[in-house]
Amino acid sequence: MAERYPFPDLNTLPEDIRARILEVQEKAGFIPNVFLAFARRPAEWRAFFAYHDALMLKEEGSLTKGEREMIVTTTSAANQCLYCVVAHGAILRIYEKKPLVADQVAVNHRKADIPPRQKAMLDFAMKVCLRAHEIEDADFEALYPHGFDDEDIWDIAAITAFFGLSNRMASFAGMQPNPEFYLMGRLPREKKA
């Protein structure tokens, strides 16, 4: 299935958006499709990436970058979002330096080769993803022994909820993962001469 909404021409985008996309391209070596897909609506692009960055790049709290990506990969699989599972699974493999982890958590985080802390985190994220209306005090209590505080728990829920939006937008629009994502973090990087 192809994307239902054509990507805008990079040269026609507002300067702040174009600059950020070029910065991402410089760092990654390609432009992830999500950056172009949302750019068709500049105000929404700015809001989306501002919230994305507030959740995924924040310095406070005990969640690592890898754990944040683990939440995204796991809950995106529950939401059947091909784009986010593939793209964030690639980032997860790189952050965790574990080539198998993304596939494992996407299929069944309880069988994944991850520590109990991360399993508890993903149990909570999956409950927020699938049954948020059932969250109760016991769900919070299950996380405290693993070193999560109430702010960390807010982060787990907010990442899950934000990517629920992202999953639905990517899926309805037919957004396809960039081919580059599929191999990222699976094989050791070649050393440059």
Side-chain angles (χ1 to χ4, degrees):
M1 171 199 301
E3 282 90 359
R4 289 188 181 92
Y5 293 89
F7 295 155
D9 181 336
L10 189 60
N11 297 314
T12 66
L13 297 176
E15 184 53 34
D16 62 316
I17 294 174
R18 196 170 78 73
R20 171 83 186 271
I21 290 173
L22 292 173
E23 179 182 310
V24 168
Q25 180 181 32
E26 175 69 25
K27 184 176 180 186
F30 65 99
I31 301 172
N33 288 338
V34 67
F35 283 88
L36 294 171
F38 277 95
R40 62 189 312 277
R41 292 188 170 193
E44 292 173 33
W45 188 99
R46 291 180 186 104
F48 180 88
F49 284 103
Y51 196 34
H52 171 279
D53 293 352
L55 292 171
M56 301 302 284
L57 303 179
K58 71 182 281 191
E59 301 291 328
E60 307 81 30
S62 76
L63 294 179
T64 67
K65 287 181 179 180
E67 287 172 337
R68 292 171 196 280
E69 295 296 340
M70 196 175 286
I71 293 165
V72 177
T73 303
T74 304
T75 60
S76 294
N79 290 328
Q80 299 182 48
C81 180
L82 177 65
Y83 183 89
C84 292
V85 170
V86 173
H88 290 275
I91 300 167
L92 169 58
R93 289 189 298 270
I94 290 167
Y95 282 154
E96 292 290 305
K97 297 176 178 54
K98 294 168 77 176
L100 307 181
V101 69
D103 296 333
Q104 291 175 352
V105 299
V107 173
N108 184 347
H109 73 275
R110 291 190 182 110
K111 303 284 185 189
D113 182 21
I114 57 175
R117 168 188 162 89
Q118 293 174 343
K119 286 182 182 174
M121 172 189 77
L122 295 177
D123 282 343
F124 184 82
M126 288 296 286
K127 191 166 184 181
V128 170
C129 178
L130 301 172
R131 303 182 323 278
H133 61 283
E134 294 177 11
I135 295 290
E136 56 192 11
D137 288 346
D139 297 303
F140 285 76
E141 297 296 331
L143 290 172
Y144 297 143
H146 296 284
F148 296 106
D149 64 20
D150 286 339
E151 295 306 311
D152 296 324
I153 296 168
W154 178 286
D155 288 342
I156 295 166
I159 291 165
T160 300
F162 174 77
F163 280 94
L165 164 92
S166 182
N167 297 159
R168 285 155 180 81
M169 293 300 292
S171 292
F172 107 88
M175 194 184 311
Q176 295 298 300
N178 301 68
E180 293 89 344
F181 282 127
Y182 286 94
L183 294 180
M184 287 172 53
R186 292 193 190 272
L187 303 170
R189 286 182 127 182
E190 292 181 19
K191 301 216 189 288
K192 295 182 179 176

